[in-house]
Amino acid sequence: MKTFNKTLIAVSVALASTQTLASGFQLNSQSATGMGRAFAGDAVIADNASVLSRNPAAMALFDKDAISFGLTYADITVDVKDVNFAGGAVDLGSIDDAGSSKIIPNIFYIHPIDDKFAVGFAAFSNFGTGTDASSLSKSLPAGSPAPYDLLGETEVTTVNFNTSLSYRINDMFSIGAGVDAIYGEGRLTRNMGTTPLVDVDADGWAFGGIVGATIELDKDNRFGISYRFSPTVNVKGDVNTITSNTLPNVGKVNVATSFDSLDVPLADIFQFAGFHQLTSKFAVHYTAQHTQWGNFDQITAKDGVATILPGQTGAGMSMDIGDKALKEYQWKDSWLFSLGGTYTINEQFTVRAGYMHDQGVVDEISSISFPDSDRNWYTAGMSYHINPQNTVDFGIAYIKGEKVHLIENSSITGIGPVNAITESSGIYYSVQYSYQF
Protein backbone atom coordinates (compact mmCIF):
# COMPACT_ATOMS: atom_id res chain seq x y z
CA MET A 1 0.00 0.00 0.00
CA LYS A 2 2.72 2.20 1.00
CA THR A 3 4.30 1.44 -2.19
CA PHE A 4 1.32 2.70 -4.03
CA ASN A 5 1.39 5.83 -1.98
CA LYS A 6 4.85 6.60 -2.82
CA THR A 7 4.38 5.63 -6.28
CA LEU A 8 2.19 8.50 -6.81
CA ILE A 9 4.33 10.71 -4.87
CA ALA A 10 6.96 9.68 -7.14
CA VAL A 11 4.76 10.79 -9.77
CA SER A 12 4.51 14.00 -8.09
CA VAL A 13 7.96 14.12 -8.04
CA ALA A 14 6.71 14.60 -11.15
CA LEU A 15 2.49 15.94 -13.63
CA ALA A 16 1.46 11.31 -16.46
CA SER A 17 0.49 7.86 -17.20
CA THR A 18 -2.94 7.77 -18.62
CA GLN A 19 -3.56 10.91 -16.62
CA THR A 20 -1.00 12.98 -18.42
CA LEU A 21 -1.14 10.86 -21.53
CA ALA A 22 2.59 10.49 -21.95
CA SER A 23 4.91 7.62 -21.15
CA GLY A 24 5.03 6.75 -17.46
CA PHE A 25 3.99 9.95 -15.73
CA GLN A 26 5.85 12.25 -18.11
CA LEU A 27 4.29 15.44 -19.46
CA ASN A 28 4.38 16.95 -22.93
CA SER A 29 2.92 20.41 -22.42
CA GLN A 30 5.81 22.88 -22.40
CA SER A 31 4.58 25.21 -25.17
CA ALA A 32 1.70 25.95 -27.54
CA THR A 33 3.98 25.94 -30.58
CA GLY A 34 5.35 22.54 -29.58
CA MET A 35 1.84 21.25 -28.97
CA GLY A 36 0.74 22.27 -32.46
CA ARG A 37 3.52 20.30 -34.15
CA ALA A 38 3.46 17.30 -31.76
CA PHE A 39 6.76 18.59 -30.34
CA ALA A 40 8.49 17.53 -33.55
CA GLY A 41 11.81 19.35 -33.91
CA ASP A 42 11.33 21.20 -30.63
CA ALA A 43 14.96 20.77 -29.57
CA VAL A 44 16.21 22.87 -32.49
CA ILE A 45 13.45 24.96 -34.16
CA ALA A 46 13.94 27.83 -31.70
CA ASP A 47 11.04 29.96 -32.91
CA ASN A 48 10.55 31.20 -29.34
CA ALA A 49 12.12 30.91 -25.89
CA SER A 50 10.31 27.66 -25.01
CA VAL A 51 13.12 25.76 -26.80
CA LEU A 52 14.89 26.07 -23.46
CA SER A 53 12.79 23.19 -22.10
CA ARG A 54 14.30 20.82 -24.70
CA ASN A 55 17.83 21.96 -25.54
CA PRO A 56 19.93 24.69 -23.87
CA ALA A 57 22.34 24.82 -26.82
CA ALA A 58 19.54 26.21 -29.03
CA MET A 59 19.77 29.52 -27.14
CA ALA A 60 22.75 30.23 -29.41
CA LEU A 61 20.25 30.69 -32.26
CA PHE A 62 18.90 33.88 -30.63
CA ASP A 63 20.46 37.31 -31.21
CA LYS A 64 17.84 39.17 -29.13
CA ASP A 65 16.28 38.72 -25.72
CA ALA A 66 13.18 36.53 -25.88
CA ILE A 67 10.44 35.64 -23.41
CA SER A 68 7.55 33.20 -23.68
CA PHE A 69 4.88 32.23 -21.22
CA GLY A 70 1.76 30.17 -21.59
CA LEU A 71 -0.88 27.82 -20.23
CA THR A 72 -1.94 24.32 -21.20
CA TYR A 73 -5.30 22.90 -20.18
CA ALA A 74 -5.26 19.11 -20.14
CA ASP A 75 -8.77 17.65 -20.39
CA ILE A 76 -8.14 13.99 -19.56
CA THR A 77 -10.60 11.09 -19.70
CA VAL A 78 -9.67 7.79 -18.03
CA ASP A 79 -12.38 5.10 -18.18
CA VAL A 80 -12.05 2.25 -15.69
CA LYS A 81 -14.43 -0.59 -16.56
CA ASP A 82 -15.46 -4.00 -15.25
CA VAL A 83 -13.45 -3.86 -12.03
CA ASN A 84 -13.95 -7.21 -10.31
CA PHE A 85 -12.31 -9.85 -8.15
CA ALA A 86 -13.02 -13.39 -6.85
CA GLY A 87 -13.12 -14.61 -10.41
CA GLY A 88 -15.72 -12.01 -11.35
CA ALA A 89 -18.04 -12.91 -8.46
CA VAL A 90 -17.61 -9.45 -6.89
CA ASP A 91 -18.22 -6.59 -9.33
CA LEU A 92 -17.05 -3.12 -8.26
CA GLY A 93 -18.50 -1.50 -11.37
CA SER A 94 -16.99 1.15 -13.63
CA ILE A 95 -15.98 4.81 -13.70
CA ASP A 96 -16.61 6.84 -16.83
CA ASP A 97 -13.96 9.40 -15.97
CA ALA A 98 -11.33 8.70 -13.31
CA GLY A 99 -8.87 11.24 -14.69
CA SER A 100 -8.46 14.79 -13.45
CA SER A 101 -8.01 17.83 -15.68
CA LYS A 102 -5.14 20.24 -15.10
CA ILE A 103 -3.93 23.71 -15.97
CA ILE A 104 -0.17 23.60 -16.56
CA PRO A 105 1.74 26.92 -16.77
CA ASN A 106 5.22 27.66 -18.12
CA ILE A 107 7.59 30.61 -18.59
CA PHE A 108 10.92 30.94 -20.43
CA TYR A 109 13.47 33.75 -20.83
CA ILE A 110 16.61 33.83 -23.00
CA HIS A 111 19.26 36.57 -22.84
CA PRO A 112 22.14 36.63 -25.37
CA ILE A 113 25.15 38.01 -23.50
CA ASP A 114 27.24 38.52 -26.63
CA ASP A 115 27.76 36.74 -29.96
CA LYS A 116 29.13 33.66 -28.12
CA PHE A 117 27.23 33.24 -24.85
CA ALA A 118 23.56 33.22 -23.89
CA VAL A 119 21.84 32.52 -20.59
CA GLY A 120 18.30 31.34 -19.94
CA PHE A 121 15.83 30.80 -17.12
CA ALA A 122 12.68 28.69 -17.17
CA ALA A 123 9.90 27.21 -15.05
CA PHE A 124 7.83 24.33 -16.43
CA SER A 125 6.72 20.80 -15.61
CA ASN A 126 8.03 17.48 -16.90
CA PHE A 127 5.98 15.07 -14.76
CA GLY A 128 2.60 14.76 -12.98
CA THR A 129 -0.68 12.88 -12.57
CA GLY A 130 -4.15 12.86 -11.03
CA THR A 131 -6.86 10.17 -10.69
CA ASP A 132 -9.79 9.30 -8.47
CA ALA A 133 -11.04 5.70 -8.34
CA SER A 134 -12.54 5.89 -4.84
CA SER A 135 -16.14 5.66 -6.06
CA LEU A 136 -15.61 2.02 -7.06
CA SER A 137 -15.75 0.95 -3.41
CA LYS A 138 -18.52 3.27 -2.21
CA SER A 139 -21.33 1.07 -3.48
CA LEU A 140 -20.29 -1.84 -1.29
CA PRO A 141 -21.91 -2.46 2.11
CA ALA A 142 -19.87 -1.28 5.10
CA GLY A 143 -17.23 -3.83 6.06
CA SER A 144 -17.35 -5.67 2.74
CA PRO A 145 -14.00 -6.98 1.52
CA ALA A 146 -12.52 -4.97 -1.31
CA PRO A 147 -9.06 -4.00 -2.62
CA TYR A 148 -9.26 -0.59 -0.93
CA ASP A 149 -5.54 0.06 -1.35
CA LEU A 150 -5.96 0.03 -5.12
CA LEU A 151 -8.91 2.45 -5.15
CA GLY A 152 -8.58 6.07 -4.08
CA GLU A 153 -7.59 9.60 -4.97
CA THR A 154 -4.17 10.73 -6.14
CA GLU A 155 -2.87 14.18 -7.03
CA VAL A 156 0.72 14.95 -7.92
CA THR A 157 2.51 18.04 -9.28
CA THR A 158 6.11 18.92 -10.11
CA VAL A 159 7.82 22.11 -11.20
CA ASN A 160 11.21 22.29 -12.91
CA PHE A 161 13.22 25.49 -12.36
CA ASN A 162 15.99 25.62 -14.94
CA THR A 163 19.05 27.85 -15.40
CA SER A 164 21.09 27.27 -18.56
CA LEU A 165 24.08 28.61 -20.48
CA SER A 166 24.95 28.18 -24.17
CA TYR A 167 28.17 28.75 -26.10
CA ARG A 168 28.53 29.19 -29.87
CA ILE A 169 31.71 27.42 -30.99
CA ASN A 170 31.44 28.56 -34.61
CA ASP A 171 28.83 29.11 -37.33
CA MET A 172 27.99 25.39 -37.31
CA PHE A 173 28.29 24.13 -33.72
CA SER A 174 26.83 25.27 -30.40
CA ILE A 175 26.74 23.60 -27.00
CA GLY A 176 24.76 24.22 -23.84
CA ALA A 177 24.20 22.98 -20.31
CA GLY A 178 21.76 23.69 -17.52
CA VAL A 179 20.84 22.87 -13.93
CA ASP A 180 17.33 21.71 -12.96
CA ALA A 181 15.94 22.35 -9.49
CA ILE A 182 12.87 20.11 -9.26
CA TYR A 183 10.12 20.63 -6.69
CA GLY A 184 7.51 17.93 -6.29
CA GLU A 185 4.46 17.58 -4.08
CA GLY A 186 1.88 14.84 -3.83
CA ARG A 187 -1.30 13.90 -2.02
CA LEU A 188 -2.66 10.36 -1.89
CA THR A 189 -5.51 8.87 0.12
CA ARG A 190 -6.95 5.36 0.42
CA ASN A 191 -9.89 4.75 2.76
CA MET A 192 -11.88 1.75 3.90
CA GLY A 193 -15.16 3.43 4.77
CA THR A 194 -14.15 6.05 7.34
CA THR A 195 -10.89 4.31 8.18
CA PRO A 196 -7.85 5.90 6.48
CA LEU A 197 -5.64 3.13 5.12
CA VAL A 198 -3.26 5.50 3.37
CA ASP A 199 -2.70 9.17 3.97
CA VAL A 200 0.26 10.70 2.18
CA ASP A 201 1.14 14.38 1.99
CA ALA A 202 4.76 15.01 1.05
CA ASP A 203 7.03 17.28 -0.91
CA GLY A 204 10.71 17.72 -1.66
CA TRP A 205 13.49 19.09 -3.85
CA ALA A 206 16.11 17.46 -6.04
CA PHE A 207 18.67 18.62 -8.58
CA GLY A 208 19.31 17.36 -12.08
CA GLY A 209 20.73 18.77 -15.28
CA ILE A 210 20.68 18.89 -19.06
CA VAL A 211 23.34 19.10 -21.78
CA GLY A 212 22.79 19.73 -25.46
CA ALA A 213 24.24 20.63 -28.83
CA THR A 214 23.09 22.05 -32.16
CA ILE A 215 24.47 21.53 -35.66
CA GLU A 216 23.58 24.12 -38.33
CA LEU A 217 24.36 22.83 -41.80
CA ASP A 218 23.01 26.07 -43.21
CA LYS A 219 20.21 28.52 -42.38
CA ASP A 220 17.56 26.04 -43.56
CA ASN A 221 18.84 22.75 -42.12
CA ARG A 222 19.83 22.06 -38.52
CA PHE A 223 19.85 19.34 -35.88
CA GLY A 224 19.61 19.34 -32.11
CA ILE A 225 20.48 16.77 -29.48
CA SER A 226 20.08 16.82 -25.70
CA TYR A 227 20.30 14.60 -22.64
CA ARG A 228 18.43 15.40 -19.41
CA PHE A 229 19.80 13.86 -16.21
CA SER A 230 16.88 13.23 -13.86
CA PRO A 231 17.53 12.74 -10.13
CA THR A 232 16.15 10.44 -7.48
CA VAL A 233 13.83 12.73 -5.56
CA ASN A 234 13.53 12.41 -1.80
CA VAL A 235 10.12 13.65 -0.68
CA LYS A 236 9.38 14.26 2.98
CA GLY A 237 6.15 14.73 4.91
CA ASP A 238 3.34 12.64 6.34
CA VAL A 239 3.52 9.11 4.97
CA ASN A 240 1.15 6.94 7.01
CA THR A 241 -0.53 3.65 6.21
CA ILE A 242 -2.27 0.73 7.85
CA THR A 243 -1.12 -2.64 6.59
CA SER A 244 -0.57 -6.27 7.58
CA ASN A 245 2.98 -7.07 8.64
CA THR A 246 4.81 -10.01 10.15
CA LEU A 247 6.88 -8.67 13.04
CA PRO A 248 9.64 -10.48 14.97
CA ASN A 249 8.41 -12.22 18.15
CA VAL A 250 4.85 -11.12 17.43
CA GLY A 251 3.69 -12.73 14.19
CA LYS A 252 1.24 -11.37 11.64
CA VAL A 253 -0.64 -8.29 12.88
CA ASN A 254 -2.19 -5.11 11.52
CA VAL A 255 0.13 -2.20 12.12
CA ALA A 256 0.24 1.52 11.53
CA THR A 257 3.42 2.33 9.67
CA SER A 258 5.00 5.69 9.10
CA PHE A 259 8.06 6.76 7.14
CA ASP A 260 10.04 9.99 7.17
CA SER A 261 10.59 10.18 3.42
CA LEU A 262 10.53 8.34 0.11
CA ASP A 263 13.10 7.98 -2.64
CA VAL A 264 11.57 8.24 -6.09
CA PRO A 265 13.76 7.66 -9.17
CA LEU A 266 12.95 9.78 -12.23
CA ALA A 267 13.80 8.94 -15.83
CA ASP A 268 16.64 10.38 -17.89
CA ILE A 269 15.53 11.76 -21.27
CA PHE A 270 17.51 11.72 -24.53
CA GLN A 271 16.24 13.35 -27.70
CA PHE A 272 17.32 14.06 -31.25
CA ALA A 273 15.54 16.60 -33.45
CA GLY A 274 15.82 17.88 -36.99
CA PHE A 275 14.45 20.91 -38.87
CA HIS A 276 14.42 21.49 -42.65
CA GLN A 277 13.03 24.59 -44.38
CA LEU A 278 12.11 23.04 -47.72
CA THR A 279 10.67 26.17 -49.32
CA SER A 280 10.23 29.78 -48.25
CA LYS A 281 6.85 28.80 -46.79
CA PHE A 282 7.03 25.14 -45.78
CA ALA A 283 9.24 23.30 -43.27
CA VAL A 284 9.31 19.75 -41.90
CA HIS A 285 10.68 18.67 -38.52
CA TYR A 286 10.93 15.54 -36.43
CA THR A 287 11.97 14.18 -33.04
CA ALA A 288 13.07 10.82 -31.63
CA GLN A 289 13.08 10.68 -27.84
CA HIS A 290 14.23 7.88 -25.53
CA THR A 291 13.11 7.93 -21.88
CA GLN A 292 14.87 5.62 -19.42
CA TRP A 293 11.85 4.43 -17.45
CA GLY A 294 13.74 1.20 -16.80
CA ASN A 295 15.26 3.06 -13.84
CA PHE A 296 11.81 3.31 -12.27
CA ASP A 297 11.79 -0.13 -10.69
CA GLN A 298 10.45 0.59 -7.20
CA ILE A 299 9.84 3.26 -4.58
CA THR A 300 11.89 3.10 -1.38
CA ALA A 301 10.45 4.30 1.94
CA LYS A 302 13.03 5.58 4.42
CA ASP A 303 13.33 5.31 8.20
CA GLY A 304 10.08 3.49 8.97
CA VAL A 305 8.37 2.88 12.31
CA ALA A 306 5.65 0.24 12.81
CA THR A 307 3.13 0.38 15.68
CA ILE A 308 0.78 -2.54 16.45
CA LEU A 309 -2.85 -1.43 16.40
CA PRO A 310 -5.17 -1.89 19.40
CA GLY A 311 -6.98 -5.20 19.95
CA GLN A 312 -4.02 -7.38 19.00
CA THR A 313 -1.11 -9.09 20.69
CA GLY A 314 1.50 -6.50 21.60
CA ALA A 315 -0.84 -3.57 20.94
CA GLY A 316 0.94 -0.22 21.17
CA MET A 317 4.41 -1.70 20.70
CA SER A 318 6.56 0.20 18.20
CA MET A 319 9.75 -0.72 16.42
CA ASP A 320 12.02 0.69 13.78
CA ILE A 321 11.72 -1.10 10.46
CA GLY A 322 14.31 0.95 8.54
CA ASP A 323 14.07 1.32 4.78
CA LYS A 324 11.57 -0.70 2.80
CA ALA A 325 11.03 -1.30 -0.88
CA LEU A 326 7.45 -0.44 -1.60
CA LYS A 327 5.47 -1.48 -4.63
CA GLU A 328 7.53 -2.73 -7.55
CA TYR A 329 6.96 -1.43 -11.07
CA GLN A 330 9.87 -2.66 -13.17
CA TRP A 331 8.99 -0.43 -16.09
CA LYS A 332 10.74 -0.55 -19.44
CA ASP A 333 12.41 2.20 -21.42
CA SER A 334 10.23 3.89 -24.02
CA TRP A 335 10.58 5.72 -27.33
CA LEU A 336 8.63 8.67 -28.69
CA PHE A 337 8.60 9.52 -32.40
CA SER A 338 7.01 12.63 -33.86
CA LEU A 339 6.75 14.26 -37.27
CA GLY A 340 5.42 17.72 -38.04
CA GLY A 341 5.10 20.43 -40.64
CA THR A 342 4.93 24.22 -40.52
CA TYR A 343 3.43 26.45 -43.23
CA THR A 344 3.79 30.24 -43.32
CA ILE A 345 0.65 31.73 -44.83
CA ASN A 346 1.80 35.34 -44.68
CA GLU A 347 3.56 37.76 -42.34
CA GLN A 348 0.74 37.47 -39.82
CA PHE A 349 -0.24 33.78 -39.78
CA THR A 350 1.68 30.54 -39.47
CA VAL A 351 0.01 27.14 -39.17
CA ARG A 352 1.43 23.78 -38.10
CA ALA A 353 0.40 20.18 -37.55
CA GLY A 354 1.97 16.99 -36.27
CA TYR A 355 1.68 13.33 -35.35
CA MET A 356 3.37 11.53 -32.45
CA HIS A 357 3.54 7.90 -31.36
CA ASP A 358 4.41 7.49 -27.69
CA GLN A 359 5.24 4.05 -26.31
CA GLY A 360 3.90 2.84 -22.96
CA VAL A 361 6.25 1.78 -20.17
CA VAL A 362 4.37 -0.96 -18.30
CA ASP A 363 6.07 -4.32 -18.77
CA GLU A 364 5.06 -7.56 -17.01
CA ILE A 365 3.73 -5.92 -13.82
CA SER A 366 0.51 -3.99 -14.48
CA SER A 367 -1.17 -1.50 -12.14
CA ILE A 368 -4.59 0.11 -11.88
CA SER A 369 -2.83 3.23 -10.64
CA PHE A 370 -0.80 3.40 -13.88
CA PRO A 371 -2.88 1.87 -16.69
CA ASP A 372 -0.27 2.88 -19.21
CA SER A 373 -0.43 2.08 -22.93
CA ASP A 374 0.91 3.18 -26.30
CA ARG A 375 -0.62 6.48 -27.40
CA ASN A 376 -1.11 8.37 -30.66
CA TRP A 377 -1.14 12.18 -30.77
CA TYR A 378 -2.84 14.22 -33.52
CA THR A 379 -2.07 17.93 -33.22
CA ALA A 380 -2.57 21.30 -34.91
CA GLY A 381 -1.62 24.88 -34.12
CA MET A 382 -1.45 28.45 -35.31
CA SER A 383 0.64 31.55 -34.65
CA TYR A 384 -0.65 35.09 -34.99
CA HIS A 385 2.21 37.54 -35.40
CA ILE A 386 0.89 40.85 -34.10
CA ASN A 387 4.14 42.44 -35.27
CA PRO A 388 7.77 41.24 -35.60
CA GLN A 389 8.16 41.35 -31.80
CA ASN A 390 4.82 40.04 -30.51
CA THR A 391 3.31 36.62 -31.24
CA VAL A 392 0.35 34.71 -29.85
CA ASP A 393 0.36 30.94 -30.35
CA PHE A 394 -2.38 28.35 -30.10
CA GLY A 395 -2.09 24.58 -30.03
CA ILE A 396 -4.47 21.65 -29.69
CA ALA A 397 -3.79 17.93 -29.40
CA TYR A 398 -6.04 14.89 -29.38
CA ILE A 399 -4.45 11.90 -27.66
CA LYS A 400 -5.81 8.37 -27.86
CA GLY A 401 -4.54 5.50 -25.73
CA GLU A 402 -5.13 1.79 -26.20
CA LYS A 403 -7.52 -0.39 -24.23
CA VAL A 404 -5.63 -2.16 -21.44
CA HIS A 405 -6.62 -5.29 -19.48
CA LEU A 406 -5.10 -5.11 -15.98
CA ILE A 407 -4.53 -7.65 -13.23
CA GLU A 408 -3.37 -6.54 -9.77
CA ASN A 409 -3.35 -7.92 -6.22
CA SER A 410 -4.21 -5.97 -3.08
CA SER A 411 -1.20 -5.75 -0.75
CA ILE A 412 -3.34 -4.90 2.29
CA THR A 413 -6.41 -7.10 2.11
CA GLY A 414 -4.79 -9.91 0.15
CA ILE A 415 -7.65 -9.78 -2.33
CA GLY A 416 -6.74 -10.76 -5.81
CA PRO A 417 -6.40 -10.95 -8.57
CA VAL A 418 -8.32 -7.73 -9.24
CA ASN A 419 -9.25 -7.36 -12.90
CA ALA A 420 -10.03 -4.16 -14.76
CA ILE A 421 -10.17 -2.67 -18.23
CA THR A 422 -8.88 0.88 -18.71
CA GLU A 423 -8.88 3.21 -21.68
CA SER A 424 -7.65 6.79 -21.83
CA SER A 425 -7.95 9.75 -24.14
CA GLY A 426 -7.67 13.48 -23.86
CA ILE A 427 -7.53 16.88 -25.48
CA TYR A 428 -4.86 19.45 -24.68
CA TYR A 429 -5.52 23.14 -25.32
CA SER A 430 -2.51 25.44 -25.18
CA VAL A 431 -2.01 29.19 -25.56
CA GLN A 432 1.24 31.15 -25.41
CA TYR A 433 2.54 34.68 -25.74
CA SER A 434 6.07 35.36 -27.00
CA TYR A 435 8.04 38.58 -27.24
CA GLN A 436 11.43 39.28 -28.78
CA PHE A 437 13.05 42.49 -27.60
Side-chain angles (χ1 to χ4, degrees):
M1 165 56 127
K2 219 160 235 236
T3 79
F4 186 56
N5 309 334
K6 229 24 203 239
T7 288
L8 272 164
I9 280 266
V11 153
S12 160
V13 159
L15 264 165
S17 177
T18 62
Q19 298 87 309
T20 58
L21 293 174
S23 65
F25 46 82
Q26 188 177 358
L27 282 177
N28 283 308
S29 60
Q30 290 79 19
S31 72
T33 45
M35 185 76 65
R37 56 184 172 240
F39 298 96
D42 256 30
V44 75
I45 292 181
D47 47 1
N48 57 64
S50 65
V51 71
L52 189 53
S53 68
R54 303 280 174 161
N55 185 3
M59 293 191 298
L61 300 173
F62 289 77
D63 57 9
K64 298 178 181 179
D65 285 24
I67 188 170
S68 295
F69 55 89
L71 293 171
T72 295
Y73 176 71
D75 185 9
I76 308 301
T77 299
V78 180
D79 294 332
V80 183
K81 302 176 181 179
D82 301 330
V83 183
N84 64 83
F85 60 93
V90 181
D91 185 3
L92 296 179
S94 302
I95 302 177
D96 290 335
D97 189 2
S100 63
S101 298
K102 293 180 177 295
I103 295 178
I104 310 165
N106 57 71
I107 185 168
F108 306 91
Y109 174 67
I110 292 174
H111 171 63
I113 299 172
D114 53 32
D115 60 353
K116 291 289 187 180
F117 289 96
V119 64
F121 306 93
F124 55 95
S125 179
N126 274 330
F127 302 94
T129 189
T131 55
D132 186 0
S134 58
S135 64
L136 290 173
S137 61
K138 291 180 180 179
S139 60
L140 294 175
S144 297
Y148 295 102
D149 55 320
L150 307 183
L151 311 173
E153 184 175 0
T154 302
E155 184 69 29
V156 187
T157 302
T158 62
V159 182
N160 188 324
F161 298 95
N162 173 272
T163 300
S164 292
L165 181 71
S166 69
Y167 176 72
R168 176 172 287 282
I169 299 173
N170 53 40
D171 290 342
M172 181 177 289
F173 297 105
S174 302
I175 57 175
V179 175
D180 294 326
I182 301 169
Y183 172 75
E185 62 179 5
R187 173 74 177 157
L188 183 147
T189 60
R190 299 290 183 271
N191 299 305
M192 184 172 63
T194 59
T195 302
L197 296 179
V198 177
D199 189 356
V200 178
D201 191 354
D203 63 0
W205 287 87
F207 291 90
I210 184 172
V211 295
T214 62
I215 302 173
E216 301 170 68
L217 301 181
D218 53 44
K219 66 182 182 64
D220 294 327
N221 299 276
R222 53 187 183 266
F223 303 95
I225 188 171
S226 69
Y227 191 95
R228 172 161 262 120
F229 302 90
S230 297
T232 293
V233 180
N234 181 261
V235 292
K236 300 179 180 179
D238 297 325
V239 182
N240 303 303
T241 66
I242 296 175
T243 186
S244 296
N245 283 30
T246 299
L247 301 180
N249 304 319
V250 176
K252 188 172 183 179
V253 291
N254 291 326
V255 298
T257 56
S258 63
F259 293 90
D260 289 341
S261 64
L262 296 144
D263 281 347
V264 181
L266 298 181
D268 289 359
I269 304 170
F270 165 83
Q271 63 181 297
F272 171 80
F275 171 84
H276 307 283
Q277 188 73 45
L278 301 182
T279 71
S280 61
K281 289 184 174 292
F282 181 67
V284 296
H285 26 84
Y286 44 86
T287 288
Q289 177 177 292
H290 182 260
T291 305
Q292 293 184 355
W293 281 118
N295 296 332
F296 188 72
D297 53 354
Q298 66 183 31
I299 304 298
T300 304
K302 313 286 288 186
D303 302 322
V305 175
T307 303
I308 299 176
L309 294 172
Q312 303 176 97
T313 301
M317 183 176 71
S318 298
M319 63 182 66
D320 294 334
I321 57 176
D323 300 345
K324 184 176 181 180
L326 299 181
K327 184 169 183 171
E328 293 188 3
Y329 284 88
Q330 298 182 9
W331 285 356
K332 61 184 178 182
D333 293 352
S334 69
W335 280 95
L336 171 159
F337 301 98
S338 64
L339 175 66
T342 298
Y343 183 78
T344 302
I345 298 175
N346 53 39
E347 292 183 355
Q348 283 192 304
F349 293 99
T350 301
V351 293
R352 56 187 62 88
Y355 166 77
M356 175 164 58
H357 179 73
D358 191 12
Q359 293 179 339
V361 300
V362 173
D363 201 0
E364 295 181 359
I365 301 177
S366 59
S367 170
I368 294 176
S369 61
F370 283 100
D372 197 27
S373 73
D374 291 358
R375 287 157 300 274
N376 293 303
W377 293 55
Y378 308 92
T379 74
M382 181 188 74
S383 294
Y384 173 58
H385 307 284
I386 301 172
N387 54 44
Q389 288 75 42
N390 295 271
T391 302
V392 179
D393 303 293
F394 304 92
I396 186 171
Y398 172 70
I399 308 102
K400 181 64 175 177
E402 297 178 350
K403 184 178 293 186
V404 178
H405 295 259
L406 300 173
I407 300 175
E408 189 172 14
N409 292 297
S410 169
S411 61
I412 288 184
T413 64
I415 290 174
V418 178
N419 300 282
I421 297 173
T422 65
E423 190 171 9
S424 61
S425 62
I427 301 178
Y428 282 18
Y429 307 89
S430 190
V431 62
Q432 172 182 298
Y433 170 76
S434 298
Y435 181 78
Q436 290 204 12
F437 295 84

